Amino acid sequence: MTHVLFVGQKPDTVDFSDPSLPPGFDAEKIQAGIDIAEKTMTERGWDGDICMIAPDDSGIATLAAQLARLDYDCVVIGGGLRIPPNGLLFFERVVNAIHQGAPKAAIAFNTRPQDTAEAVARWVGERHR
């Protein structure tokens, strides 16, 4: 079975006043997208885990613990962790935690939670390593 992890920022910790985020974006819209991501991964027959983290040390610890649970084939990093410019250092910490905790996993990026399965599909089955 293909094991996939979708890691993103907890919707209730997002700073929606950040001008780099789309207007009208809110926690409910993010959660709806996460729900779609989970559903589409299941529909494709993948064992998909969702790991929403806080943008702080506790988030990195949560991610590290999740990565230690099993060997993932692909880890998708959501836009909330990589798009806002003021989150660059935390994004780097996330990438390095994934690199350390899942060194064999492909790393993919979605454009929004709803296309998480498409991001995984680019890498699962084809190993671009």
Side-chain angles (χ1 to χ4, degrees):
M1 174 166 279
T2 299
H3 300 287
V4 178
L5 178 64
F6 173 27
V7 60
Q9 185 171 333
K10 287 182 177 181
D12 62 340
T13 66
V14 174
D15 175 8
F16 294 106
S17 68
D18 188 324
S20 66
L21 297 178
F25 212 45
D26 62 27
E28 289 176 6
K29 288 179 183 175
I30 293 172
Q31 187 59 54
I34 293 166
D35 294 343
I36 290 169
E38 189 169 30
K39 181 181 179 223
T40 56
M41 288 190 294
T42 300
E43 288 172 349
R44 290 180 183 235
W46 301 330
D47 177 24
D49 291 329
I50 307 293
C51 182
M52 294 295 116
I53 62 174
D56 56 25
D57 290 344
S58 72
I60 297 299
T62 298
L63 176 58
Q66 183 69 42
L67 291 168
R69 287 187 56 237
L70 63 113
D71 291 328
Y72 287 100
D73 298 295
C74 186
V75 178
V76 178
I77 303 172
L81 293 174
R82 64 173 200 282
I83 292 173
N86 63 357
L88 180 61
L89 177 59
F90 188 72
F91 171 61
E92 290 175 342
R93 291 181 67 202
V94 168
V95 170
N96 283 304
I98 294 167
H99 177 65
Q100 181 177 15
K104 294 181 182 180
I107 296 175
F109 304 101
N110 62 12
T111 61
R112 60 192 196 291
Q114 295 88 337
D115 70 3
T116 298
E118 287 78 15
V120 173
R122 290 192 296 265
W123 294 95
V124 171
E126 295 179 40
R127 293 293 177 222
H128 300 278
R129 297 181 197 158

